[in-house]
Amino acid sequence: MTETDPDLEACAREPIRVPGAIQPHGALFVLAGEPLSVVQVSDNLGDFLGGDVVPGQLLTGAWQALGEALSAWRSGEEGYFQTRIEARRLTVSAHRAGPLVVVEVEPAGDERLDMVFSRLRSFTEQLSAEPDVERSLSSVARFVRMLTGFDRVLLYRFDADWNGQVVAESGNGRLPSYLDLRFPAADIPAQARALYAANRLRIIPDVDYRPVALRPALNPVTGAALDMSLCQLRSVSPVHLEYMRNMGTGASMSVSILVDGRLWGLVSCHSAGPHMVSQALRETCDFVAQALAMRIGALARAEDAARRVTLGGVTSRLLSQMATAGDWMEALAVDAESLLAQVGAGGACLVTPDRLLAVGETPSGPQIRQLVEWLQAGPREDLFSTHHLAQMLPQAQAFAGSASGVLALSISRLHASWLIWFRPELVHTVKWGGNPHEKIRESGRIHPRQSFSAWQELVRCRAEPWSDAELAAARDLRSAIVGIVLRKAEELAELSSELQRSNKELEAFSYSVSHDLRAPFRHIVGFAELLREREGALDEKSRHYLQTISDAALSAGRLVDDLLNFSQLGRASIVPRPVDMDKLVAEVITSVMLTAGNRTIEWRVCPLPVGFGDATLLRQVWFNLVDNAVKYTRPRDPARIVIEGEARDGMVVYSVSDNGVGFDMAYVGKLFGVFQRLQRPEDFDGTGIGLALARRIIERHNGSISAQGVVDQGASFTFALPTTERKGRAFA
Ligand code: JQ2
């Protein structure tokens, strides 16, 4: 129940602080000026004070001493003034209202205050020994009833939406029991609750009283109706009097229980008939209610502290996992038990735009995505929580079973990453004191309902609310995650700068290799040639040695070139352009065949689709694949090599197949590694870098390469490249 009904809102606007009248069990007068003179009186003042106190005059005669005491009090610090005039058996109390002094007079009670205090002392001892809030409430209900003689004393507790529930009761059976019943927020509207936080006690000794007006109606000093917020005699709202009559109560008193400044509840007392409680006993009740409030506050703080310690333990367990694991999301999801225990949830999920890890009872993936979209569009807060999601997001009714309660942490708004906990729906019945939806409209205004007999309502789509300790634990975890993610980012940045440095070193090394090693190899080859030409009479063996020297130097030179290409490939950025693969392949075949001697090779080269990439690099890929095919078919006569290509699934796919020596598929994983060979180098020359280079080039194009082989039957290499449509994302 919330106060969104326009009729109820009108009720909630009733000006209860300025009723312009008091209840008749006492009298009131207002003083102002220096010296204090009377400016406003209640019509019944004479009944209590005789005819001496009249507007426009100072307090004189019998009242002079009181006037002096009030003046002294006004110039001091004390908040309230209180005295007894024994001769007339009256209590007089006063408080300030702006420039005014408001004085209230009531008959004094006849109770023995020494007895009251000794009872109070044993009660406070008993209260501090009660182990929990429930029992403290019951003993307060009993004590207040004993002290005041009301027929029924209720302990009324507000919930988060200001509905109330009777949580303890003490009665003599003359009025019905309301124990456990709930009452909607509108029964004690917002302005009444605000007033009751400022003025903790009110009494209505006789529901059928006749209000007594103030004279003059407007205060001559302020020109306005008197603000009676702090008055004890204030005439109360007629709607509430009607409510009391409907409830069958002839008298009412309620005392506010304020815990940490918030209205926690009321001690609410009723009698079937009229019932008066003296000012002194009311003060005692207020004292009891405040002692109870302190007890409630202390027990709640102790419970909160214990919960925080438990949850803190869970947080540190999760943290240590995150700190050691590479991926914080995995680290959290892997210990589902702790993740859920962190806030006492039934399910949880970790969401980024491309990942979703869920544990426990959660809505489906698409439903979680829908929720995240809604959260992402909401206000930019790090933490969002509700125990009634469907009220804010009607679509959430579909998954209320697992997620009526939601506690969401935004880890990063920019990357839309969220950690979300869920609490299941807690379907329960609430026993209301009368049907709270029943509204009685008569002569244009709303009236309190007439029946208060228990009315059951099934409450759906709500979960157990999240406690302060749980929300704090969630916040702690969030700052820890953010800290860890940041630290990981820093580590990555450090790592990448280290990588850059070693890359630079490698580049410098390759450069020196190219210049310092290539030249000597060329010299070896050159001098070996020279030697062969000069020494015509070299014997067979010596010529063989020379040939070996020159071959070895040549291949070492090629190795250096290949290594250089390989190491430079990481840096060059690729600008994809259409590449005429037919032409490229024709050129590559010609150049490979230049060194192949007079081999017999049956070529079948099919028309190839246009590729997209860097022509120079792709030429190297083709060269290596075609060169390999030619090389490994040397034992075959005729050797057969097939080159094909097609466009499929947004990729262009090419292959080179041969009927050569093939390879064992068990070793296919090694094929593309640097210096990995599946054949003996004596049998087939080459540097062992060709396929590694091909793979690196293809991967730099965001493509893929694979190989199929059967020993002694042949091999087939296939590579795929993305087409231009995907190039925006595809090319690194
Ligand atoms: O009697 C009092 O002490 C006044 C404070 C007050 C209470 C306390 C008594 N009491 C209970 O013991 C229980 C549980 C059985 C309830 C639900 C309850 C209600 C309650 N209402 C109080 C006050 C008011 N109710 C006031 C301010 C009176 C004043 O201080 O001048 C107003 C204006 C209302 C208004 C409404 N009551 C209704 O039932 C409806 C429909 C309205 C109009 C919105």
Side-chain angles (χ1 to χ4, degrees):
M1 297 289 105
T2 44
E3 291 162 16
T4 43
D5 185 305
D7 287 329
L8 293 180
E9 270 173 19
C11 260
R13 279 199 300 275
E14 197 187 331
I16 61 171
R17 291 175 189 250
V18 286
I22 58 165
Q23 300 180 54
H25 60 276
L28 176 150
F29 61 93
V30 182
L31 302 169
E34 184 64 65
L36 286 171
S37 69
V38 180
V39 292
Q40 214 175 0
V41 297
S42 63
D43 264 343
N44 63 349
L45 191 63
D47 301 348
F48 291 81
L49 302 190
D52 296 348
V53 180
V54 280
Q57 295 194 3
L58 302 175
L59 291 176
T60 52
W63 306 108
Q64 188 175 339
L66 177 63
E68 283 162 9
L70 284 164
S71 292
W73 161 78
R74 187 176 58 167
S75 49
E77 300 281 300
E78 199 77 19
Y80 290 90
F81 172 90
Q82 201 128 66
T83 192
R84 261 170 94 99
I85 302 178
E86 286 301 345
R88 297 182 181 239
R89 299 202 51 74
L90 289 176
T91 57
V92 177
S93 37
H95 66 271
R96 300 178 186 85
L100 311 172
V101 170
V102 182
V103 187
E104 293 174 276
V105 186
E106 273 184 52
D110 47 16
E111 64 279 328
R112 292 241 337 253
L113 285 182
D114 52 345
M115 290 298 291
V116 171
F117 284 132
S118 81
R119 281 173 171 183
L120 188 61
R121 200 179 61 195
S122 59
F123 169 73
T124 44
E125 272 165 19
Q126 184 195 334
L127 183 67
S128 54
E130 294 293 10
D132 51 40
V133 172
E134 285 68 32
R135 268 187 267 185
S136 307
L137 298 175
S138 297
S139 67
V140 166
R142 276 195 307 275
F143 183 68
V144 169
R145 196 167 73 80
M146 191 260 286
L147 203 61
T148 59
F150 275 107
D151 289 334
R152 181 184 63 199
V153 176
L154 309 174
L155 266 290
Y156 187 75
R157 181 184 184 167
F158 293 109
D159 70 11
D161 300 324
W162 296 108
N163 302 311
Q165 187 177 10
V166 177
V167 288
E169 185 180 64
S170 167
N172 58 15
R174 219 165 285 161
L175 287 172
S177 165
Y178 285 157
L179 188 61
D180 290 338
L181 291 192
R182 269 181 208 239
F183 295 82
D187 284 10
I188 309 179
Q191 94 278 30
R193 295 190 303 260
L195 177 56
Y196 300 169
N199 181 357
R200 293 193 301 255
L201 195 143
R202 63 237 113 243
I203 182 160
I204 307 162
D206 181 356
V207 70
D208 295 317
Y209 73 89
R210 287 169 64 102
V212 181
L214 301 186
R215 261 188 309 126
L218 294 188
N219 186 285
V221 177
T222 60
L226 180 67
D227 179 352
M228 298 177 77
S229 299
L230 300 182
C231 288
Q232 302 171 49
L233 294 169
R234 178 178 61 87
S235 185
V236 300
S237 154
V239 187
H240 179 57
L241 295 173
E242 191 181 342
Y243 184 91
M244 282 175 61
R245 283 186 214 107
N246 291 355
M247 264 195 171
T249 51
S252 166
M253 178 179 97
S254 61
V255 195
S256 311
I257 303 168
L258 291 166
V259 176
D260 297 328
R262 183 186 186 269
L263 193 61
W264 182 95
L266 300 175
V267 181
S268 178
C269 316
H270 297 117
S271 263
H275 186 77
M276 180 61 192
V277 175
S278 74
Q279 225 254 336
L281 281 186
R282 295 198 313 259
E283 299 260 314
T284 312
C285 291
D286 180 44
F287 178 86
V288 168
Q290 295 326 298
L292 173 66
M294 280 196 266
R295 184 97 190 107
I296 293 172
L299 287 170
R301 271 189 294 276
E303 194 182 315
D304 182 74
R307 182 94 177 110
R308 278 174 203 253
V309 169
T310 313
L311 296 183
V314 180
T315 312
S316 49
R317 199 157 61 234
L318 286 172
L319 278 188
S320 64
Q321 275 157 217
M322 273 192 292
T324 46
D327 179 311
W328 67 271
M329 285 176 74
E330 299 273 359
L332 286 178
V334 99
D335 184 358
E337 199 185 323
S338 300
L339 184 59
L340 298 182
Q342 175 75 75
V343 296
C349 68
L350 294 133
V351 193
T352 65
D354 46 11
R355 273 173 94 189
L356 199 165
L357 301 177
V359 302
E361 287 287 303
T362 68
S364 71
Q367 286 166 336
I368 291 177
R369 290 270 169 225
Q370 187 185 13
L371 173 67
V372 167
E373 206 172 289
W374 178 77
L375 287 169
Q376 202 55 31
R380 301 182 70 81
E381 274 162 15
D382 296 340
L383 185 147
F384 164 85
S385 76
T386 175
H387 65 282
H388 189 181
L389 181 64
Q391 189 182 40
M392 307 168 103
L393 179 69
Q395 300 96 298
Q397 259 177 28
F399 49 88
S402 59
S404 283
V406 164
L407 201 177
L409 292 180
S410 158
I411 306 300
S412 157
R413 281 271 170 177
L414 203 60
H415 300 108
S417 32
W418 293 82
L419 166 51
I420 308 175
W421 286 280
F422 302 106
R423 261 186 189 170
E425 179 180 31
L426 210 104
V427 183
H428 60 289
T429 38
V430 168
K431 278 192 286 174
W432 292 98
N435 179 353
H437 307 291
E438 173 189 309
K439 279 190 297 178
I440 302 165
R441 227 181 258 103
E442 225 172 64
S443 41
R445 73 170 176 86
I446 184 155
H447 292 261
R449 61 191 176 283
Q450 291 179 342
S451 164
F452 294 90
S453 43
W455 186 88
Q456 306 231 344
E457 184 178 45
L458 190 68
V459 176
R460 307 219 51 155
C461 294
R462 275 165 212 254
E464 174 82 27
W466 307 96
S467 74
D468 286 347
E470 286 153 357
L471 294 176
R475 277 204 186 86
D476 285 352
L477 186 65
R478 180 183 183 275
S479 19
I481 294 174
V482 170
I484 284 178
V485 171
L486 273 182
R487 208 190 63 211
K488 288 255 150 74
E490 273 166 18
E491 279 172 9
L492 271 183
E494 211 168 282
L495 209 66
S496 97
S497 73
E498 216 161 87
L499 269 179
Q500 271 175 9
R501 211 183 51 235
S502 55
N503 255 355
K504 283 230 165 65
E505 276 167 13
L506 196 70
E507 261 170 50
F509 173 72
S510 335
Y511 185 81
S512 70
V513 164
S514 72
H515 280 79
D516 303 351
L517 283 184
R518 280 157 103 201
F521 284 132
R522 236 178 283 125
H523 287 154
I524 294 170
V525 178
F527 283 110
E529 286 304 311
L530 279 178
L531 195 59
R532 194 169 24 212
E533 278 165 24
R534 272 174 67 104
E535 299 297 325
L538 277 181
D539 63 31
E540 186 63 18
K541 213 167 202 156
S542 305
R543 268 209 307 276
H544 175 66
Y545 289 154
L546 262 183
Q547 185 59 40
T548 311
I549 290 172
S550 136
D551 284 353
L554 256 178
S555 83
R558 261 206 311 275
L559 172 66
V560 167
D561 285 349
D562 281 357
L563 269 178
L564 200 60
N565 278 337
F566 190 77
S567 72
Q568 281 172 340
L569 196 60
R571 292 175 298 121
S573 73
I574 290 176
V575 186
R577 297 220 165 75
V579 178
D580 182 345
M581 292 297 209
D582 293 325
K583 191 164 155 236
L584 205 61
V585 167
E587 285 168 14
V588 164
I589 292 177
T590 313
S591 93
V592 169
M593 291 310 287
L594 277 180
T595 52
N598 44 3
R599 295 265 313 275
T600 323
I601 298 178
E602 282 179 12
W603 293 94
R604 186 157 73 82
V605 182
C606 305
L608 302 173
V610 171
F612 296 93
D614 180 298
T616 316
L617 294 176
L618 291 177
R619 176 196 296 275
Q620 284 192 52
V621 174
W622 280 116
F623 186 90
N624 286 321
L625 297 186
V626 171
D627 192 46
N628 273 356
V630 169
K631 201 175 349 179
Y632 294 114
T633 50
R634 205 159 55 209
R636 303 284 184 261
D637 196 10
R640 271 192 286 273
I641 300 177
V642 181
I643 298 178
E644 296 166 296
E646 63 168 327
R648 72 164 108 106
D649 304 334
M651 306 286 281
V652 274
V653 184
Y654 306 94
S655 66
V656 179
S657 318
D658 62 56
N659 64 341
V661 297
F663 62 88
D664 184 342
M665 281 303 277
Y667 304 110
V668 69
K670 288 182 144 195
L671 212 55
F672 294 100
V674 180
F675 296 129
Q676 297 289 341
R677 291 158 169 277
L678 301 186
Q679 314 294 344
R680 292 185 308 157
E682 306 86 279
D683 297 340
F684 299 97
D685 58 354
T687 58
I689 291 180
L691 284 179
L693 184 63
R695 181 171 78 168
R696 195 144 172 195
I697 292 173
I698 296 301
E699 282 175 356
R700 288 278 283 126
H701 282 76
N702 253 10
S704 60
I705 185 163
S706 61
Q708 292 285 322
V710 178
V711 176
D712 271 341
Q713 290 188 23
S716 169
F717 289 83
T718 307
F719 65 95
L721 296 173
T723 54
T724 38
E725 281 82 58
R726 305 194 344 163
K727 79 171 189 233
R729 230 159 41 86
F731 290 88

